[in-house]
């Protein structure tokens, strides 16, 4: 069981930055693949970035949706996952979710099947 709670969303002008945080409660078992996803109104849930567990190599994947403008990171000791977002665009406006799964799978599969555990989301609004 993993509890996830996102924070850090808000309203920002185009070109601005936001840092999303996800507080995780995974207890003694901290070997999870962690990811960030987003869903804009009327659109499907899509992956933004993921980071594999340290045990499985810690590989980071950035999806095309925001590649080059985001940085995913984690602090195992604090049970935190982060997403630094820069150069935000109006089309980045969405609800952003953090998620945890036993081992990384493709973001498309992860999103479509809603695998693992998910937070309630934090809203990001980017104005032009």
């Amino acid at each position: 069981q993993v509890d996830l709670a996102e924070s850090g969303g808000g309203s920002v002008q185009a070109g601005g930055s936001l840092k999303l945080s996800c507080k995780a409660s995974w207890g003694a078992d901290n070997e999870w693949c962690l990811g960030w996803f987003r869903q804009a109104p009327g659109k499907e849930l899509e992956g933004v970035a993921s980071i594999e567990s340290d045990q499985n190599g810690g590989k980071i994947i950035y999806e095309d949706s925001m590649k080059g403008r985001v940085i995913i990171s984690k602090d195992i000791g604090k049970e935190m996952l982060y997403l630094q977002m820069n150069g935000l665009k109006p089309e980045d406006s969405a609800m952003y979710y953090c998620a945890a799964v036993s081992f990384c799978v493709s973001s498309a599969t992860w999103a479509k099947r809603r695998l693992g555990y998910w937070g309630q989301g934090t809203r990001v609004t980017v104005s032009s």
Side-chain angles (χ1 to χ4, degrees):
Q1 178 71 33
V2 179
D3 295 321
L4 303 168
E6 304 91 340
S7 63
S11 297
V12 64
Q13 289 192 328
S17 299
L18 281 175
K19 186 174 184 177
L20 305 183
S21 299
C22 176
K23 180 69 177 77
S25 300
W26 51 55
D29 182 8
N30 58 22
E31 297 298 340
W32 297 90
C33 172
L34 305 171
W36 284 100
F37 293 78
R38 68 180 186 178
Q39 187 168 27
K43 294 188 176 182
E44 294 185 350
L45 185 67
E46 65 174 354
V48 176
S50 63
I51 181 167
E52 183 60 280
S53 68
D54 293 342
Q55 181 180 17
N56 290 326
K59 181 179 181 179
I60 291 175
I61 293 178
Y62 292 105
E63 305 297 337
D64 290 342
S65 57
M66 297 187 79
K67 187 179 291 183
R69 298 187 292 124
V70 296
I71 299 173
I72 187 172
S73 61
K74 63 182 179 180
D75 186 326
I76 294 296
K78 295 182 179 179
E79 295 185 303
M80 294 294 295
L81 177 69
Y82 303 100
L83 186 70
Q84 176 67 46
M85 306 189 295
N86 303 314
L88 286 165
K89 305 174 183 180
E91 52 263 43
D92 295 321
S93 297
M95 188 71 83
Y96 284 72
Y97 301 90
C98 63
V101 71
S102 298
F103 54 89
C104 283
V105 296
S106 75
S107 63
T109 297
W110 194 347
K112 183 176 182 180
R113 299 183 182 180
R114 279 272 184 167
L115 299 173
Y117 302 93
W118 294 74
Q120 294 299 308
T122 185
R123 185 170 298 280
V124 172
T125 302
V126 185
S127 59
S128 57

